Amino acid sequence: MVYHSSFNDVQGVQLPCNMAVLPLKTKHKGPAPPSRNPGEMDVIDEALDFFKANVLYRNFDVQGPADRVLIYLTYYIKYALTKIEKLGKADAEKALIQLAGENFQVPGDAGFPFGGFFPNPANRQEAELIRSYFAQLRLEVGGRLAALVYAADPNVPSKWWICFNKRKFLNIV
């Protein structure tokens, strides 16, 4: 059974494309508000914790708006792992920052892989909000992912993380 987000019941957050814009422990600017309790888990910590289990599933029953964030983060973590599998920590950090800044697809774009999970944006402002939220998530995930993957040896990525980059997530990507 897939792991769902514990943030599905959070009230008072924006819901562009029926996806929750949740508070983050971040130093990067974006639409997500800063977390009030930096010691508590946020959706990025949750995605990193659940990644190894969730990437193995072919189906994901969305139970709330935070699950959509979890789906996107799982996809991005898998994609980021493919980019850093042969790099040292310093090069991987640079590659992840560059990857976060690349042009990427959002719901409503032709190449977005999860069209069935995310409704299209209602207007251009909502699409830009999603784009900036995804950019903020990508930057923050990059920093935290590098710290986890290179925790044991700064020259070699952990095989216990890299081995998951070859799996198809939701039988799509």
Side-chain angles (χ1 to χ4, degrees):
M1 180 167 202
V2 71
Y3 289 94
H4 294 281
S5 178
S6 62
F7 298 100
N8 278 328
D9 299 327
V10 173
Q11 301 295 318
V13 296
Q14 293 177 309
L15 295 171
C17 295
N18 203 14
M19 180 179 68
V21 178
L22 298 164
L24 300 174
K25 297 183 295 190
T26 184
K27 54 187 176 269
H28 303 289
K29 288 187 177 183
S35 177
R36 292 190 180 125
N37 302 323
E40 289 184 8
M41 187 177 229
D42 68 357
V43 72
I44 295 175
D45 292 331
E46 191 174 65
L48 289 167
D49 284 349
F50 294 161
F51 171 75
K52 293 178 183 178
N54 281 350
V55 78
L56 300 175
Y57 289 100
R58 293 179 177 217
N59 300 316
F60 197 108
D61 179 32
V62 176
Q63 295 183 348
D67 277 349
R68 288 181 177 84
V69 178
L70 201 59
I71 288 170
Y72 183 77
L73 289 174
T74 302
Y75 158 72
Y76 181 70
I77 292 166
K78 181 192 169 313
Y79 183 61
L81 286 172
T82 62
K83 298 295 183 184
I84 65 170
E85 69 180 319
K86 294 183 182 352
L87 302 175
K89 185 175 182 178
D91 292 334
E93 288 171 341
K94 291 176 191 174
L96 289 171
I97 290 170
Q98 186 178 14
L99 183 64
E102 284 182 1
N103 192 17
F104 54 90
Q105 307 300 322
V106 296
D109 290 348
F112 188 69
F114 302 111
F117 290 98
F118 293 81
N120 291 342
N123 52 43
R124 185 154 177 82
Q125 290 81 15
E126 191 172 89
E128 288 305 314
L129 175 65
I130 290 292
R131 187 171 300 284
S132 61
Y133 184 50
F134 280 177
Q136 185 180 17
L137 287 171
R138 290 164 71 108
L139 278 169
E140 190 60 34
V141 165
R144 295 189 203 179
L145 183 63
L148 286 173
V149 172
Y150 295 93
D153 184 357
N155 296 319
V156 181
S158 169
K159 67 180 179 180
W160 303 113
W161 277 93
I162 298 299
C163 68
F164 289 95
N165 70 355
K166 292 175 178 44
R167 301 286 310 191
K168 274 191 164 187
F169 176 55
L170 297 180
N171 215 23
I172 298 172
V173 289

